[in-house]
Amino acid sequence: LKDLSIYAPLVARLGISFVFLWFGINQLFDAETFMGYLPDFLLSTGYAKTIVLLNGCFDLLLGTLLAIGLYTRLASLLIMAHLFSITISLGYNDIAARDVGLMIVTFSLFLGGADKWSLDYRREKKKLV
């Protein structure tokens, strides 16, 4: 087999984007299900559903940016910060452990930047010509 490592950044980027697209879509269509993940102080505000819907839009936007590889570093940095805030608010549990793993993959996307299948890469390539 040829060296498959060249596909690693693409697979990681699309994998993380799938997770965020899935969560974003599900939050927009079934916000009530996700309200249980909100900290108590947000649930008591009366804006819990609005917060979940806004978070769904945020997840959908960042998932889309990663899927197409546009503003890859910025999107991955924002996702990383978002996952960090979720991990802190949920405390130590199985969901937090999952989110730490996702944060590490997202950090690797931040470090790597644009891969050769991203729009960022194509835009940079055009600038050089």
Side-chain angles (χ1 to χ4, degrees):
L1 290 174
K2 287 185 174 183
D3 182 22
L4 299 177
S5 65
I6 61 168
Y7 299 105
L10 174 66
V11 171
R13 183 170 53 81
L14 292 178
I16 292 293
S17 70
F18 170 78
V19 170
F20 274 80
L21 290 169
W22 187 90
F23 274 102
I25 290 167
N26 280 282
Q27 287 173 72
L28 292 176
F29 286 103
D30 191 15
E32 288 81 19
T33 300
F34 290 89
M35 287 171 35
Y37 293 107
L38 293 175
D40 290 336
F41 75 92
L42 290 177
L43 283 173
S44 63
T45 64
Y47 297 106
K49 186 173 181 179
T50 302
I51 292 167
V52 171
L53 292 172
L54 288 171
N55 191 74
C57 292
F58 181 76
D59 288 353
L60 200 55
L61 172 65
L62 292 176
T64 300
L65 288 174
L66 275 187
I68 62 176
L70 187 61
Y71 302 111
T72 304
R73 278 206 162 115
L74 176 61
S76 59
L77 182 66
L78 291 172
I79 288 173
M80 206 171 54
H82 183 53
L83 286 168
F84 181 74
S85 71
I86 291 170
T87 303
I88 296 301
S89 72
L90 290 177
Y92 179 74
N93 60 31
D94 54 344
I95 295 170
R98 176 207 60 198
D99 288 347
V100 168
L102 292 172
M103 248 188 337
I104 291 168
V105 173
T106 306
F107 183 61
S108 74
L109 292 174
F110 171 75
L111 292 175
D115 57 65
K116 73 183 225 177
W117 295 277
S118 67
L119 288 180
D120 288 337
Y121 181 84
R122 293 175 190 257
R123 287 179 26 196
E124 285 299 317
K125 197 172 178 183
K126 282 184 180 180
K127 286 182 186 176
L128 298 174
V129 174

